[in-house]
Amino acid sequence: MKAFKLLPLALLMLFVTSCSSVKVTADYDKAVDFQQYKTYAFFKEGIDQAKVNDLDKKRILNAIDANLAAKGLVKTDKNPDFVINIFTKAQEQVNVTNNSHFYSPYGYYGWGWGPYWGPNNTTVTTSIEGTLYIDILDTNKKALIWQGIGTGYLDKAPNPEKKEQRINDFIEKILAKFPPVIEKK
């Protein structure tokens, strides 16, 4: 009986954790030796066109810098090995929940007085699903060599610190796949 009482709480926790996760995919050129890359820069012209406000753009770039520095890569303005471009996409998701009639053979809240048909509640909520693309281009070949894509729900952060943490989580999960681990044959 206790298990049935805890079931709604368990389902709520599963929903909350699944909504906060980031789905990540990555693609890369298998012919490229990623160990040769040591320095990078941002592709300013492309980043300027990214459809995200300047505060969030700065947070994204800072998170990329911190993540790549932790991997031993160095940012430079002079002849970088690769450049990074970002772009974003957002899509509104509409969720409709219909809580159908509740029937109790014992009446309203089990107090006798005949059967009870409860309210029919329909709730509509919206959320924003955001996608962040991180492109890495070889400066000598002038070609895309790696792309990471992170998709997740963007919540209205109550303060800048929470927003920054959410962006850092996004970037960390995307760049966890860079550089790719290529198995030697």
Side-chain angles (χ1 to χ4, degrees), residues 64-139:
I64 291 172
D65 274 338
N67 199 286
L68 293 180
K71 294 175 187 276
L73 296 164
V74 177
K75 184 177 174 183
T76 183
D77 292 329
K78 296 181 181 179
N79 200 19
D81 297 326
F82 64 88
V83 293
I84 300 170
N85 189 27
I86 64 167
F87 61 100
T88 59
K89 185 169 62 171
Q91 180 176 347
E92 184 176 37
Q93 302 288 326
V94 178
N95 307 305
V96 179
T97 306
N98 185 6
N99 298 323
S100 298
H101 300 289
F102 167 81
Y103 173 75
S104 172
Y106 303 107
Y108 189 67
Y109 292 110
W111 292 327
W113 303 314
Y116 171 72
W117 288 93
N120 184 11
N121 294 327
T122 301
T123 56
V124 178
T125 58
T126 60
S127 55
I128 304 295
E129 183 180 61
T131 304
L132 174 64
Y133 296 81
I134 300 176
D135 291 345
I136 295 183
L137 301 103
D138 183 297
T139 53

Side-chain angles (χ1 to χ4, degrees), residues 42-43 46-52 56-58 60-61 64 84-88 132-135 137 171:
F42 289 110
F43 183 61
I47 291 173
D48 286 346
Q49 294 178 16
K51 293 181 181 175
V52 63
D56 287 342
K57 194 179 296 184
K58 185 176 180 180
I60 290 168
L61 298 180
I64 291 172
I84 300 170
N85 189 27
I86 64 167
F87 61 100
T88 59
L132 174 64
Y133 296 81
I134 300 176
D135 291 345
L137 301 103
I171 301 299

Side-chain angles (χ1 to χ4, degrees), residues 24 132 134 146 148-150 170-178:
V24 175
L132 174 64
I134 300 176
W146 186 89
I149 304 167
F170 243 76
I171 301 299
E172 185 177 327
K173 288 177 181 169
I174 295 170
L175 290 178
K177 296 186 178 275
F178 179 80

